[in-house]
Amino acid sequence: LARDMTAATEVYILGVRSTAPMAVYAAHILSAAGIRTRKLDVAENYVDGVVNMDRGGLVLALDFTRYHKGTLVLLNLLRKKGFNIVAITDNPDAPVAKVAQYSICVPRRSYDYTDSFVTTTMLLNTLAVYVGLHDKSALIGRLRQYDETTQSLEFFF
């Protein structure tokens, strides 16, 4: 997955409903590692984003039990258009796994309407570190630039 992400012109991250926070986090942490990312959200008007997608991009679909139908519809369209799709899901038989070129299955726990994505977060962190360490000086430069930007915008106390 790390090799595929670094070879892609951009990584399009798709996650809705319970996976939306994971998609936001994936875009943030992978971007920090130097991967161009864009989040796609099927809950809103995503047509403009889809029309302008680069065929050299990789679609990273996050989808877990109670699979969102909109995710599958969009992935089927992108598959027909020739996009490479990778799924991170909780079951090898998940609908997104069947559309993807390959999938990574991670456990997810759900308790009383709350979801735990510890394993997915660790996977994303590991990918970001692995990719970032291939060019340590570029990674340090990006992190410094991020720090300088947030300080100049006075984001933090």
Side-chain angles (χ1 to χ4, degrees):
L1 178 55
R3 191 173 34 251
D4 288 343
M5 287 190 309
T6 56
T9 55
E10 190 164 15
V11 175
Y12 303 102
I13 301 171
L14 176 59
V16 297
R17 308 278 303 161
S18 67
T19 58
M22 286 283 44
V24 170
Y25 182 72
H28 166 73
I29 197 72
L30 295 174
S31 178
I35 296 172
R36 278 188 75 190
T37 61
R38 187 180 330 164
K39 186 178 170 304
L40 295 174
D41 188 348
V42 299
E44 298 173 9
N45 179 5
Y46 58 88
V47 176
D48 293 337
V50 170
V51 168
N52 294 312
M53 287 174 67
D54 181 356
R55 296 266 190 298
L58 174 74
V59 177
L60 180 61
L62 304 166
D63 201 24
F64 295 94
T65 301
R66 291 209 63 187
Y67 308 106
H68 193 272
K69 185 176 180 180
T71 299
L72 191 59
V73 169
L74 177 56
L75 289 176
N76 280 316
L77 172 73
L78 294 174
R79 176 85 185 221
K80 287 178 189 172
K81 291 182 174 273
F83 282 92
N84 292 323
I85 299 169
V86 177
I88 296 177
T89 187
D90 59 349
N91 187 322
D93 294 322
V96 294
K98 293 176 182 177
V99 174
Q101 273 77 17
Y102 63 92
S103 61
I104 297 174
C105 291
V106 294
R108 180 199 60 124
R109 303 289 182 252
S110 181
Y111 307 99
D112 298 327
Y113 301 102
T114 62
D115 295 309
S116 172
F117 293 104
V118 172
T119 310
T120 307
T121 302
M122 292 308 300
L123 172 63
L124 293 169
N125 289 342
T126 302
L127 283 167
V129 169
Y130 180 80
V131 168
L133 289 179
H134 279 85
D135 189 348
K136 292 177 191 177
S137 60
L139 175 62
I140 291 168
R142 275 189 302 281
L143 293 174
R144 280 192 182 127
Q145 184 180 14
Y146 180 85
D147 248 7
E148 290 168 5
T149 303
T150 57
Q151 286 178 12
S152 67
L153 293 172
E154 299 180 13
F155 273 11
F156 307 110
F157 289 103

